Amino acid sequence: MLLVGVINADTSLHFPDFRASERTFQLVTQVAGRTGRGPRGGRVLVQTLSPDHPAIRAAVRHDYAMFAKQELPIRQMLHYPPYTQMARLIVRGEAEALVKEFALQLAERIRSALVEHQLAEGVQNRVLGPAPAPIPRLRNLYRYHLQAQCGDGQLLRQAILLATENLSSREGVQWAIDIDPLDML
């Protein structure tokens, strides 16, 4: 029989990412599934400081339905995918003040574009941030990020196109747009 231990299984639960629970569930479930393969079978020990967290409880039971039942209402309430479309914008540069100033300008332009061009009444949209990115400095560049969320993906893309049209950043400030980001770090 094979014995596998998942040490600190809950570490990823504390990442600043709306998918943190999903990733934890996926990791523990995947390890447990692979351990049980083969003629000898296996056993998995999961070390966690959060044994009552829904993602951990569902993962140790291999119960996707249980996990989805807990996770999806939270995402719906907070307007996260799959209930909305999301864009993450990252601004970086050597001068933190310039990076922050440009990120604030970008956020305001997106907010205005979403309000001005809202095509369907009742479509949920919001812009979160800007704020320092979870990794605030990388390769000697300061990083700020913001999120734009909208219940209508086409409207979100139109608003971002409109907001960034003819937008020029200051020298040394770079920015990027990630539509439906997989990573929030």
Side-chain angles (χ1 to χ4, degrees), residues 87-89 103-117 125-128 146-149 155-156 158-164 167 175 177:
R88 179 175 184 236
L89 293 91
L104 286 165
Q105 176 188 3
L106 189 55
E108 187 52 42
R109 288 177 70 128
I110 293 171
R111 280 186 186 97
S112 295
L114 280 169
V115 169
E116 286 177 25
H117 294 85
N125 67 66
R126 66 180 177 175
V127 177
L128 302 173
L146 59 117
Q147 294 175 27
Q149 299 167 314
L155 174 61
L156 177 64
Q158 287 175 350
I160 289 173
L161 281 171
L162 181 67
T164 58
L167 178 65
W175 54 282
I177 303 169

Side-chain angles (χ1 to χ4, degrees), residues 3-150:
L3 177 64
V4 173
V6 181
I7 309 299
N8 293 329
D10 53 3
T11 300
S12 62
L13 285 175
H14 308 293
F15 283 179
D17 187 338
F18 73 94
R19 289 188 183 93
S21 293
E22 179 182 348
R23 289 197 171 119
T24 300
F25 172 81
Q26 180 183 14
L27 174 69
V28 175
T29 302
Q30 187 177 34
V31 168
R34 289 185 178 178
T35 302
R37 292 182 189 163
R40 297 187 310 173
R43 183 176 170 102
V44 178
L45 299 177
V46 178
Q47 178 196 39
T48 177
L49 295 174
S50 307
D52 294 325
H53 191 282
I56 299 290
R57 286 185 306 152
V60 298
R61 291 181 176 87
H62 264 302
D63 192 341
Y64 174 78
M66 176 183 176
F67 172 74
K69 184 178 177 184
Q70 294 287 327
E71 183 70 12
L72 289 175
I74 294 168
R75 289 198 190 177
Q76 185 173 25
M77 179 180 69
L78 297 174
H79 306 291
Y80 280 118
Y83 300 99
T84 61
Q85 296 283 289
M86 178 188 289
R88 179 175 184 236
L89 293 91
I90 303 165
V91 181
R92 60 183 177 246
E94 291 181 2
E96 184 176 15
L98 293 178
V99 169
K100 183 177 181 180
E101 179 184 319
F102 185 78
L104 286 165
Q105 176 188 3
L106 189 55
E108 187 52 42
R109 288 177 70 128
I110 293 171
R111 280 186 186 97
S112 295
L114 280 169
V115 169
E116 286 177 25
H117 294 85
Q118 190 162 349
L119 303 175
E121 208 170 300
V123 173
Q124 294 290 327
N125 67 66
R126 66 180 177 175
V127 177
L128 302 173
I135 301 172
R137 195 163 180 195
L138 184 64
R139 296 184 193 108
N140 272 345
L141 299 177
Y142 290 95
R143 302 171 70 233
Y144 275 72
H145 71 155
L146 59 117
Q147 294 175 27
Q149 299 167 314
C150 185

